[in-house]
Amino acid sequence: MVQLVIDNSKSKSGKHVIRTLLYKIDNNIHEEKKFSSKVKPTYTVGEAYLTDIPSKGIYVYITLIKNIYNKVKGKIIVINEGNIVLVLNYRKLKIKKINGDSQFYEHVKRVLDQVKIPVKRANLK
């Protein structure tokens, strides 16, 4: 069982924002809404929850942070059967593989299309 933090918060000024998303992938894509406990968020305005991921299934965990210059950076993690199988970075509308198996990228692509996160290019080498 893996525990992840779902954090949706922003700073008081609104210049810094963090947003995390968790999706379960089977035939369809479902956003996970089951939270186990409340934890302290990264920024002051908003909330953060701890969620448990069961060992079955494929999950895509996306963390996006917007900074003072309106630039968005992030990390995308694919979890299969309770193990991290792919880690990607998101920066300047581009995706870069950090480590893992590139064949799981098609699940990430389906989620990004559904959530409407723009991607210009993906480097999976």
Side-chain angles (χ1 to χ4, degrees):
M1 177 123 22
V2 179
Q3 284 193 327
L4 295 173
V5 176
I6 305 298
D7 189 354
N8 299 318
S9 62
K10 64 182 181 177
S11 62
K12 281 184 184 175
S13 64
K15 293 179 180 174
H16 300 278
V17 181
I18 186 167
R19 177 104 167 97
T20 58
L21 306 164
L22 179 64
Y23 288 91
K24 179 175 176 30
I25 296 177
D26 40 33
N27 294 337
N28 297 337
I29 299 171
H30 310 289
E31 186 169 5
E32 283 293 307
K33 299 279 188 186
K34 295 180 286 198
F35 306 125
S36 59
S37 62
K38 203 167 187 175
V39 293
K40 188 175 185 293
T42 305
Y43 299 113
T44 54
V45 180
E47 67 262 336
Y49 299 98
L50 207 59
T51 183
D52 295 325
I53 294 182
S55 298
K56 302 267 189 247
I58 298 173
Y59 292 86
V60 176
Y61 180 65
I62 303 172
T63 303
L64 298 171
I65 298 173
K66 186 180 85 165
N67 66 12
I68 191 170
Y69 304 109
N70 264 352
K71 303 279 190 207
V72 177
K73 290 189 210 173
K75 200 170 233 22
I76 303 168
I77 299 172
V78 181
I79 300 166
N80 185 17
E81 307 299 330
N83 297 320
I84 295 174
V85 292
L86 181 62
V87 179
L88 305 164
N89 269 358
Y90 179 81
R91 189 172 151 256
K92 293 184 176 180
L93 303 179
K94 297 179 200 122
I95 289 180
K96 183 178 180 186
K97 182 178 109 174
I98 303 304
N99 65 12
D101 189 359
S102 298
Q103 73 182 13
F104 287 96
Y105 178 69
E106 73 178 56
H107 301 303
V108 174
K109 190 165 174 18
R110 284 176 50 203
V111 171
L112 294 178
D113 288 345
Q114 180 171 322
V115 184
K116 296 188 173 96
I117 295 174
V119 175
K120 273 194 215 171
R121 190 165 59 231
N123 178 4
L124 301 174
K125 291 181 180 162

